[in-house]
Amino acid sequence: LDIKNSVTDKVSPNIGLVYRPVPSLSFYALTSESLEPRNGQTNSFGVNFDPSFGESIEGGIKFELLDGRISGTASVYEI
């Protein structure tokens, strides 16, 4: 296994924020990054695949109605 040029670890921050102006309503936002190393996986020529990186951003609103009997979430995101 030749991993001398492979990425094997990386800090992948996940950050979130929630704001609750009243008990039945919350606004939230989060961002995260990901890394999937492909060490040991090679193409038909024996060359290691590059790692796969990902990034996502999300924001939304959570709500409760009728003393918590009805609740929901609406969000927008980009992956």
Side-chain angles (χ1 to χ4, degrees), residues 1-2 4 8-9 15 21 23 28 31 33 35-37 39 41 49 52 56-59 61 64 73 77:
L1 180 65
D2 178 19
K4 61 185 169 199
T8 57
D9 63 353
I15 301 169
Y28 71 94
T31 182
E33 294 181 2
L35 166 69
E36 179 183 350
N39 298 331
Q41 296 179 7
F49 286 114
S52 176
S56 70
I57 299 171
E58 181 177 355
I61 183 171
E64 291 183 354
T73 302
Y77 60 90

Side-chain angles (χ1 to χ4, degrees), residues 32-47:
S32 64
E33 294 181 2
S34 65
L35 166 69
E36 179 183 350
R38 306 244 172 122
N39 298 331
Q41 296 179 7
T42 60
N43 64 17
S44 59
F45 299 105
V47 177

